[in-house]
Amino acid sequence: MPMLPVVPEVQSHVLAEFDCLDPLLSALRLDSGRLKCTCLAVSRKWLALGTSAGGLHLIQREGWKQRLILTHKEGSITQVSCCPHDEDFIAVATSQGLVVVWELQLERRGRPERVSVSWEHRGQTLTSLCWDTAALRVFAGDKGGKVSFLRAGSSKLGKGSAFVIFPVQTITTVDSRVVQLGYLDGRLLVSSLTRCYLCDTEREKFWRVGNKERDGEYGACFFPLSRGVTAGQPPLLYCARPGSRVWEASFSGDVLSTHQFKQLLAVPPAPLISYRSEPHYNRAQKSSQSIAFPRLLYFGDQNLLTWTDSAIYVFTPQSGQVLLWTEVKDVVELAVYRNELFCLHGDGRMSHLSLLSVERCVDRLLRREAWSLAATVCVMFQHAIAPSRARKSIPIDRLDHLRSQLSVTTHLDLIGQLEEVVAKLEPLDSASSSRRSSISSHESFNVLDCGIYRVISRRGSQSDEETSSLVSQSMLEEERLKEFSFVQEEEEQQGAEHASSACILSSSHPPSLPPSLLPPDPQSGGGLEVTEPSGNHQFHLPLSFRPKHSRIALQAVRDSVSSFVKKTTEKINTLQMNSDLWPRPPDPKDGGQGHVEAVATTVPFPEDGDHEECLDPGNAETDQQDLITATEKGISQIQDPLVLLDPACLKETLQEWIPVLERVLGPELDLGLGKQSPAGEEEETEDAADNRPENVQSEIPSSSPEGQEEGKRGEDSPQQNGGQEDQREAQDHHRPDEASTEENLRVWSPKPLPPDLQAHLTQLATLYLELGYFGDPVVQKERGVVGVNAFLRRFFFLLDQERVRRMCLLGYGDQPEVHISFMEAMLELTQSSKVVEVIQKGDLLKSLRCLRELQPWSAPMLLAHLHRLYEKHGELAVRSFTQFYPTILPSDVTAMAKHSHFLAYLDNLVQSRAEEQRLSFLGSLLQPEALRQDWLGLALTHDAPQKSDTLTTDGQPRWHSHFFSWGYGRLLSLLIRLPADLASKQKMAETCRINGYWTGYVYLC
């Protein structure tokens, strides 16, 4: 990868593209050669797209979902404009010269209707539409120079106002084609091919802006002064002039000054930050530009925007500077809302750009996990990342995390350039300069919100002397502990027959060790507390605010103690393998104390995380090799078509592989205490169970008759402590598939596995779960095969999450405990996600926004977050799940939500489609076909009239019962209109008759 160019400091903002609108256009069929998008408009809520076929698509910006389509038979759509003060109104112009004002009536759930129509411009091409900023009035200008307005009637204005037809009035006719219209505070701005005109619509006065004419398409717009020292002053207006010039005029039309941008544009274009391609910056491109600005728009925070067919320009006219200009190819039309702009390109493609400062752009890229693009922006815009003010949005730890996410194989040069940028970063400014002066020059820091100074060590800043002293100190301590461990090892050999887990743990903390060298107590939960010599302190700050260098030495102590414990345990296990040393069955008087040694060998040591090796260190490598061999054999066999297509052979292959998996990767209790006792030793097992550690004993199935009777009593007794079903299931150990708590849920692998082995294990384990070889009692008895729920909980870390999700819905729908275990595992896997914190705060809109930023979605991960949302907000959350279709399907919501809540979701999902598409869309959701009868029954029994109001005592219809409204009447009408066979229709008709839905009954008959 070549060295990235560095952008000059004058570039403080960028245009960035985060969202891809291609799937939206594809869903609307606007990417085909027959149907094209001709114009667009944008508001806070809507993105309006006009088409060549006369359709107007209204897209809800939240979730990019189509809500409405308005059709016109008067030609293609040429102009569209959203009302700025009431988003329930939208104006449309067609190719035949028709102007239509629509009232959407979404708040009242009514049908959109035309509230005003104008044929004043019949036969002319309308070139501009503009709304009044206070009233329901639309201004229109055409190719012939005529400017008119029409008022829109609405029921919101009072009774009868919707039936009043307001006359269409012609304001004026200018000398040439209208290029652009603007309106603000009672004044209309008209820009033609030759001049700009200002009109006071209340007093009906007109005057020209400036004296010089022009020839060509030049735009004009109002510029409100609402910020800073100019707040409260009358607005300005800006008019484009030839040669990259712009007039600045007062609100009365007097020209105040002329801005010349020709020489200011002699700079290279700013790179466009987009997921489509890498940012490009060419320093050599510095020629001046003489441009005609065809449109001017008020944009963002006191900015002026214009464009040509090949570039977008943003000016700050108050300072007379160019904020940026960026090359964007084939721009046909552009619409803006605040700092966002939507570009329509000549090939029908659409792009959504945002004007952002460089720091905010990097922050957005990091939140979207666009690692390589974020690193590229950091390198190219070093001047914006290095200053201390950028630490508030981009702290150093985020850049370190960004560097760790880059691949060494593909982004090696980028990592090197990013490290150079990180080395130049300035720390966050602080007003407490006296505290800063005490920090060494090689340390950077930032101040947290709570006032704590977070000290960050720079790369290569620690002295060699300090590092070498720490290393030598740790080596000396390790040598001292090795000598001590040899002495203790000889002592332990003499008393190995009487060793126990308590002895081992106590011997790892000998009294001769000084307190500073003791390893941490796992029960205390606290951090290491070490007394260091004062000479090692480099700063005059509290120790808790900086890393403790003594951890390096203590790690060596911990390793040496762990090795001593391992060696001692190996010798104990070796002695216990001798048959002469096995303890005899104890007398009842002894209280079963002779079995402490057997239990002690399975206790995991807090000092060593690899406790599996302590159980049987000699067989660990052998077991893993056996697993690799069995897995490779299974993979090679299922790749044989003769095995894969033969259910008996496939079943035999998987069942030969399962015991090896259980033995090597099964729960710990299967390797030690979980084994069955010999016959006649039930009493011994019971005694041993009394001496088990608490955490082990709770996981072991009871094998004694007393334990079985106790489990049966727990199953049959109708009264439980607290009345909770999960407590009864937790006691019923001998039925593993009945309870969700008898198997520990394992979402992480108990031991590291090679990637190839992990992939093969995932393939075999998921296939075994999908085929469901669990119901054969002979197999369970002979091979120890567990049920489906226990297998899922035991080996979830090996399973393909998406395939398990589909399997829970399709294959095990009659076993809800399987889906409960799956959701429990996904909730645990996603617990560390940043979205969880937002969901727990209880703000539904912010939670949905965070979920949308996680695109592209993984269905299992998204399902876990939606499950949290549903538990937090109930039906309100379910209604918003429609925006995640088709990633989340109705079957997912059915398994999660109540029936009444699912109906609300289904109704919203169907109504989100265009009216002519709803019937076919609902038919596509009915997979399998049996869902039709289930959904019909749900819709007839929820939010429905009382049966006594629609049915007589003998089951006949009551008088006027068909006038009752049904809460899900729209969904019911679609369900009964779907094509079906005769038997299905008869069954549906009978269901409608029983529930008193006579409209549907008559239709089906």
Side-chain angles (χ1 to χ4, degrees):
M1 180 178 179
M3 293 292 294
L4 293 174
V6 179
V7 179
E9 295 185 5
V10 295
Q11 299 285 357
S12 61
H13 289 69
V14 293
L15 285 177
E17 182 179 15
F18 301 106
D19 298 325
C20 178
L21 299 182
D22 294 342
L24 174 64
L25 298 180
S26 178
L28 300 177
R29 302 293 190 270
L30 294 181
D31 56 349
S32 61
R34 183 179 61 86
L35 195 62
K36 290 290 186 181
C37 182
T38 56
C39 57
L40 76 165
V42 64
S43 66
R44 180 188 62 85
K45 183 177 181 180
W46 301 113
L47 172 63
L49 305 177
T51 67
S52 56
L56 179 67
H57 296 274
L58 288 179
I59 313 300
Q60 185 173 331
R61 291 185 56 191
E62 184 177 354
W64 303 113
K65 300 295 183 181
Q66 181 185 16
R67 291 295 303 274
L68 292 172
I69 178 171
L70 308 177
T71 58
H72 305 80
K73 300 180 180 179
E74 297 83 5
S76 61
I77 307 299
T78 57
Q79 298 289 328
V80 59
S81 179
C82 300
C83 182
H85 54 85
D86 191 341
E87 293 189 306
D88 209 25
F89 291 86
I90 190 167
V92 176
T94 69
S95 57
Q96 296 181 10
L98 176 71
V99 180
V100 183
V101 178
W102 288 88
E103 184 178 6
L104 305 180
Q105 300 190 21
L106 292 178
E107 296 179 357
R108 291 167 290 179
R109 293 184 175 271
R111 295 175 61 88
E113 62 179 16
R114 299 184 178 191
V115 293
S116 187
V117 178
S118 170
W119 283 103
E120 187 71 17
H121 302 270
R122 184 192 297 269
Q124 291 287 345
T125 302
L126 286 154
T127 56
S128 183
L129 291 178
C130 176
W131 277 90
D132 192 321
T133 54
L136 294 177
R137 183 169 57 166
V138 180
F139 300 91
D142 63 21
K143 190 175 181 179
K146 180 186 289 187
V147 180
S148 67
F149 77 87
L150 69 159
R151 295 184 182 273
S154 171
S155 57
K156 296 180 180 180
L157 302 177
K159 292 184 178 180
S161 59
F163 301 99
V164 178
I165 301 178
F166 295 99
V168 179
Q169 298 182 16
T170 300
I171 298 178
T172 186
T173 301
V174 296
D175 54 358
S176 58
R177 177 163 65 95
V178 176
V179 176
Q180 188 175 0
L181 296 176
Y183 186 89
L184 185 64
D185 295 345
R187 297 196 177 179
L188 178 68
L189 180 61
V190 182
S191 179
S192 68
L193 293 176
T194 58
R195 293 184 181 274
C196 280
Y197 300 90
L198 197 59
C199 171
D200 189 334
T201 56
E202 302 298 331
R203 302 177 182 179
E204 298 184 357
K205 292 184 177 181
F206 301 87
W207 56 93
R208 295 181 298 184
V209 180
N211 296 321
K212 295 183 179 180
E213 295 186 353
R214 64 200 183 188
D215 185 15
E217 289 194 2
Y218 295 94
C221 71
F222 287 105
F223 194 89
L225 299 176
S226 58
R227 297 293 181 90
V229 296
T230 61
Q233 297 184 10
L236 299 175
L237 56 96
Y238 288 92
C239 307
R241 298 291 299 171
S244 301
R245 292 178 298 164
V246 176
W247 272 349
E248 180 181 316
S250 65
F251 197 53
S252 58
D254 299 327
V255 177
L256 303 177
S257 61
T258 301
H259 296 279
Q260 175 60 263
F261 295 106
K262 183 176 182 179
Q263 297 301 326
L264 294 177
L265 290 173
V267 293
L272 178 66
I273 310 303
S274 174
Y275 64 91
R276 300 177 188 270
S277 60
E278 292 292 330
H280 175 72
Y281 182 75
N282 185 9
R283 299 191 187 94
Q285 190 174 348
K286 294 184 178 181
S287 59
S288 60
Q289 303 180 56
S290 180
I291 304 168
F293 302 138
R295 302 287 189 280
L296 291 179
L297 298 175
Y298 179 75
F299 180 53
D301 187 11
Q302 301 288 298
N303 297 319
L304 200 63
L305 180 138
T306 186
W307 73 94
T308 64
D309 59 351
S310 59
I312 296 176
Y313 304 86
V314 182
F315 307 118
T316 53
Q318 295 299 293
S319 60
Q321 298 297 321
V322 177
L323 185 64
L324 66 84
W325 77 277
T326 301
E327 291 182 336
V328 181
K329 302 299 183 183
D330 200 15
V331 180
V332 175
E333 190 172 351
L334 194 146
V336 301
Y337 178 75
R338 294 185 178 176
N339 69 324
E340 298 177 80
L341 56 153
F342 293 80
C343 300
L344 179 62
H345 301 270
D347 57 359
R349 180 173 54 88
M350 191 182 306
S351 55
H352 176 203
L353 307 178
S354 300
L355 177 66
L356 300 170
S357 63
V358 175
E359 304 96 288
R360 288 192 60 194
C361 177
V362 173
D363 178 60
R364 292 273 294 272
L365 292 173
L366 291 176
R367 284 193 281 120
R368 291 172 177 266
E369 298 184 356
W371 308 119
S372 60
L373 189 56
T376 302
V377 175
C378 290
V379 173
M380 297 182 68
F381 293 87
Q382 300 180 14
H383 63 275
I385 305 300
S388 57
R389 65 176 182 273
R391 298 291 76 75
K392 294 182 179 180
S393 57
I394 314 174
I396 297 180
D397 53 356
R398 293 189 71 184
L399 293 178
D400 292 337
H401 178 67
L402 168 62
R403 180 173 50 189
S404 66
Q405 295 296 324
L406 298 176
S407 173
V408 180
T409 57
T410 58
H411 302 100
L412 183 60
D413 296 336
L414 183 59
I415 293 175
Q417 297 179 61
L418 182 61
E419 289 178 348
E420 296 178 1
V421 175
V422 173
K424 302 176 184 177
L425 298 182
E426 298 177 2
L428 184 65
D429 290 336
S430 173
S432 179
S433 58
S434 60
R435 294 184 181 181
R436 282 204 312 267
S437 61
S438 63
I439 300 179
S440 300
S441 59
H442 63 269
E443 299 289 338
S444 64
F445 71 98
N446 56 18
V447 184
L448 305 180
D449 294 338
C450 57
I452 294 177
Y453 286 76
R454 181 173 181 271
V455 183
I456 303 161
S457 180
R458 293 281 185 87
R459 176 184 293 272
S461 60
Q462 283 190 334
S463 62
D464 296 337
E465 297 176 353
E466 181 182 358
T467 306
S468 61
S469 64
L470 288 174
V471 174
S472 60
Q473 179 184 358
S474 62
M475 291 178 63
L476 289 174
E477 292 174 350
E478 186 174 0
E479 291 297 330
R480 290 168 56 191
L481 274 187
K482 283 184 178 179
E483 296 175 1
F484 170 78
S485 64
F486 293 152
V487 177
Q488 289 295 115
E489 183 176 333
E490 295 175 359
E491 296 175 359
E492 289 294 326
Q493 286 179 6
Q494 298 174 3
E497 297 180 2
H498 308 286
S500 64
S501 59
C503 298
I504 295 173
L505 292 175
S506 62
S507 64
S508 62
H509 302 282
S512 59
L513 279 176
S516 62
L517 298 182
L518 287 177
D521 185 5
Q523 303 297 331
S524 64
L528 293 172
E529 295 185 4
V530 182
T531 304
E532 285 189 350
S534 59
N536 290 339
H537 293 177
Q538 298 296 322
F539 324 114
H540 301 290
L541 288 176
L543 290 178
S544 60
F545 290 175
R546 66 181 183 86
K548 301 178 176 62
H549 301 301
S550 59
R551 290 183 183 271
I552 301 175
L554 289 175
Q555 185 63 37
V557 177
R558 181 173 179 172
D559 294 341
S560 61
V561 173
S562 299
S563 63
F564 159 72
V565 174
K566 281 185 181 180
K567 292 178 181 178
T568 307
T569 308
E570 289 178 11
K571 294 185 179 297
I572 293 174
N573 290 337
T574 304
L575 291 172
Q576 288 178 345
M577 291 303 294
N578 190 343
S579 60
D580 296 336
L581 298 178
W582 275 106
R584 297 176 181 177
D587 295 331
K589 298 180 181 180
D590 298 335
Q593 297 297 325
H595 293 273
V596 174
E597 293 84 357
V599 178
T601 58
T602 64
V603 177
F605 293 96
E607 288 81 11
D608 191 359
D610 299 331
H611 48 272
E612 291 86 354
E613 296 182 5
C614 296
L615 294 174
D616 198 356
N619 294 335
E621 295 183 0
T622 305
D623 288 344
Q624 184 167 354
Q625 187 60 40
D626 292 345
L627 180 62
I628 294 175
T629 304
T631 303
E632 290 178 351
K633 179 181 177 182
I635 288 293
S636 62
Q637 287 180 346
I638 66 172
Q639 290 176 350
D640 185 356
L642 298 178
V643 175
L644 187 62
L645 301 178
D646 187 350
C649 294
L650 184 60
K651 180 177 181 179
E652 182 180 356
T653 299
L654 293 175
Q655 289 180 347
E656 289 179 357
W657 168 77
I658 279 294
V660 183
L661 176 69
E662 291 277 2
R663 176 168 56 86
V664 179
L665 293 180
E668 297 171 14
L669 57 91
D670 292 342
L671 300 179
L673 294 177
K675 297 180 181 179
Q676 296 293 332
S677 302
E681 296 186 2
E682 294 87 350
E683 188 175 341
E684 174 187 353
T685 306
E686 181 181 359
D687 294 335
D690 295 334
N691 294 282
R692 294 186 184 113
E694 183 178 357
N695 60 342
V696 177
Q697 186 173 358
S698 63
E699 299 173 2
I700 302 176
S702 174
S703 59
S704 64
E706 293 82 3
Q708 294 179 0
E709 293 175 2
E710 182 178 317
K712 292 178 181 179
R713 287 195 300 268
E715 176 185 0
D716 298 334
S717 176
Q719 297 179 352
Q720 303 293 335
N721 294 333
Q724 296 183 358
E725 184 179 355
D726 55 349
Q727 293 180 359
R728 177 173 69 253
E729 292 174 348
Q731 296 175 2
D732 199 6
H733 292 299
H734 66 286
R735 294 170 58 185
D737 285 326
E738 294 287 325
S740 61
T741 56
E742 96 292 338
E743 282 286 347
N744 284 336
L745 186 60
R746 304 198 302 168
V747 298
W748 311 108
S749 176
K751 58 182 66 176
L753 298 173
D756 295 341
L757 178 60
Q758 176 85 25
H760 290 162
L761 290 173
T762 298
Q763 185 176 354
L764 291 176
T766 308
L767 182 61
Y768 180 78
L769 189 65
E770 288 175 333
L771 295 177
Y773 298 142
F774 300 101
D776 190 351
V778 178
V779 175
Q780 292 188 9
K781 183 176 181 180
E782 295 181 355
R783 300 182 180 271
V785 177
V786 297
V788 54
N789 189 38
F791 183 84
L792 185 144
R793 300 179 67 87
R794 184 176 294 184
F795 298 108
F796 187 82
F797 62 91
L798 293 178
L799 300 176
D800 185 288
Q801 298 169 8
E802 176 60 27
R803 290 169 63 184
V804 172
R805 164 181 164 265
R806 293 196 299 266
M807 177 211 65
C808 292
L809 298 175
L810 301 178
Y812 297 99
D814 57 341
Q815 302 182 40
E817 67 274 5
V818 179
H819 187 269
I820 292 174
S821 296
F822 169 70
M823 286 308 305
E824 184 181 346
M826 293 310 306
L827 289 173
E828 184 174 346
L829 273 177
T830 57
Q831 188 62 38
S832 60
S833 174
K834 61 181 181 181
V835 183
V836 177
E837 300 178 2
V838 181
I839 294 175
Q840 290 175 349
K841 292 179 181 178
D843 192 327
L844 179 59
L845 294 179
K846 287 185 178 180
S847 302
L848 294 173
R849 190 180 304 116
C850 288
L851 288 178
R852 287 194 298 271
E853 291 176 354
L854 293 180
Q855 298 187 53
W857 295 308
S858 167
M861 297 290 185
L862 180 60
L863 192 61
H865 293 312
L866 296 185
H867 187 85
R868 291 187 177 93
L869 274 181
Y870 177 68
E871 290 182 344
K872 196 80 173 178
H873 303 280
E875 181 180 356
L876 186 61
V878 171
R879 289 181 177 272
S880 64
F881 289 174
T882 57
Q883 59 189 291
F884 302 108
Y885 179 85
T887 305
I888 300 300
L889 299 173
S891 55
D892 295 308
V893 182
T894 306
M896 178 196 314
K898 299 179 180 178
H899 288 164
S900 58
H901 297 169
F902 168 72
L903 273 178
Y905 161 80
L906 181 62
D907 187 52
N908 277 12
L909 180 62
V910 174
Q911 298 304 322
S912 66
R913 296 299 187 269
E915 187 172 358
E916 63 272 12
Q917 300 174 356
R918 291 172 186 170
L919 191 63
S920 59
F921 176 69
L922 181 59
S924 66
L925 297 179
L926 291 174
Q927 301 294 334
E929 186 68 22
L931 287 176
R932 183 207 306 263
Q933 190 67 31
D934 297 338
W935 291 358
L936 180 65
L938 287 176
L940 288 173
T941 54
H942 289 81
D943 199 7
Q946 296 291 330
K947 286 188 179 181
S948 58
D949 295 332
T950 59
L951 289 170
T952 62
T953 55
D954 57 349
Q956 299 301 317
R958 282 193 179 275
W959 184 254
H960 287 171
S961 60
H962 60 287
F963 287 138
F964 283 99
S965 61
W966 295 72
Y968 294 100
R970 294 179 299 181
L971 182 62
L972 286 170
S973 64
L974 292 174
L975 285 170
I976 64 177
R977 285 161 49 195
L978 283 171
D981 54 26
L982 180 60
S984 298
K985 288 197 173 185
Q986 289 176 348
K987 191 174 182 181
M988 292 169 63
E990 182 64 17
T991 305
C992 292
R993 188 192 66 80
I994 294 174
N995 290 275
Y997 184 51
W998 301 112
T999 304
Y1001 178 74
V1002 172
Y1003 180 88
L1004 290 169
C1005 289

